[in-house]
Amino acid sequence: MSYIEKKFLRKINEIFEDELPHWEGYLLELLEKKSIKIADNVAKVCADFNKQINLILKKYYPEIKEMEDKLIIKSNLKFYYDLIDKLTDFIRNVENFQKIDEKYFLSLIDFIEDKENLISGKYKNICRQELTAFYDERSRAYLEKIIAEKFEKRSREFFTFGSLEEEIKKIVRTAGANQFSITSVDNLLDTQIFESAQSLIRFGVPSENKGKLKEIGEEIKRYLESKG
């Protein structure tokens, strides 16, 4: 194993063993509250998960050559992909319904607490099959395309979380909006009218302040243009 491979494998292990478990503990504390008020904090955890996973995928994982190491890394990543999907679904449900059944919280808690069993069992089996197929030349090109598409979709999905969303939220709240959400266009039934868009920003104001809608829209537009 080369020096760089050892170094990057160590970095990956630090993320899996220290960084992400720290956020998992915080996430469990949030979910134990069984309150929809935790949605913003859950979104921040999602953003951090996504940041760390992107770091592994883009910087560290390409240098890993040992198949067994690849298997362990991919099995862990598979767990976090599913966790992020579940948390994203939770946030959308809060935004859309403003109410979550207690069983929903419990199912998320159970999933996180079952992490080790899922990684060593279900996800490891899936990833072993994927790696075997990936290194079969007849399957590799097809799988590379699928992986790229999934990664692109996931990256677009997380446009909705993190610092950009927080800044836009501050702008609309300060301007007088009492409702705000950002939704991935991928999740809309009719995406044709948003052909060039990645996300849809929604906001609302009290009925007596409807005149502010255009003003808020202009504020958001100026901010996004300033970000390039």
Side-chain angles (χ1 to χ4, degrees), residues 160-183:
T160 61
F161 304 122
S163 59
L164 185 61
E165 184 193 24
E166 290 302 314
E167 288 301 317
I168 297 174
K169 183 183 290 186
K170 288 177 186 176
I171 290 170
V172 299
R173 296 293 191 201
T174 302
N178 62 349
Q179 297 175 15
F180 169 76
S181 68
I182 299 180
T183 306

Side-chain angles (χ1 to χ4, degrees), residues 52-76:
Q52 297 298 330
I53 287 172
N54 283 341
L55 180 62
I56 291 173
L57 285 172
K58 293 180 178 180
K59 184 174 182 179
Y60 301 139
Y61 184 76
E63 297 297 330
I64 305 302
K65 310 302 180 186
E66 294 289 333
M67 287 295 290
E68 191 61 29
D69 291 331
K70 284 179 175 288
L71 178 59
I72 293 171
I73 294 167
K74 283 178 66 68
S75 300
N76 277 272

Side-chain angles (χ1 to χ4, degrees), residues 41-54 84 158 161-163:
N41 289 327
V42 171
K44 291 175 183 176
V45 174
C46 278
D48 191 79
F49 281 158
N50 193 58
K51 176 183 176 182
Q52 297 298 330
I53 287 172
N54 283 341
I84 289 171
F158 280 88
F161 304 122
S163 59

Side-chain angles (χ1 to χ4, degrees), residues 22-35 38 109 112:
H22 165 75
W23 285 108
E24 288 166 37
Y26 175 57
L27 183 58
L28 284 171
E29 291 178 7
L30 291 174
L31 294 171
E32 289 288 355
K33 296 178 181 180
K34 300 180 178 65
S35 168
I38 68 171
I109 292 171
I112 296 169

Side-chain angles (χ1 to χ4, degrees), residues 93-149:
N93 284 332
V94 170
E95 290 177 348
N96 293 332
F97 305 113
Q98 296 296 306
K99 186 177 181 181
I100 298 292
D101 189 275
E102 183 176 347
K103 292 180 180 179
Y104 198 105
F105 290 101
L106 294 176
S107 68
L108 288 172
I109 292 171
D110 288 344
F111 180 80
I112 296 169
E113 291 182 339
D114 199 31
K115 169 186 169 181
E116 297 303 326
N117 289 331
L118 288 168
I119 290 174
S120 62
K122 173 184 175 181
Y123 294 129
K124 196 169 187 178
N125 290 333
I126 293 172
C127 292
R128 181 178 284 109
Q129 294 174 11
E130 289 179 351
L131 282 170
T132 300
F134 187 79
Y135 286 95
D136 177 348
E137 291 184 4
R138 292 171 299 177
S139 305
R140 181 167 182 167
Y142 174 72
L143 283 173
E144 283 180 333
K145 179 182 177 182
I146 297 298
I147 291 169
E149 289 174 351

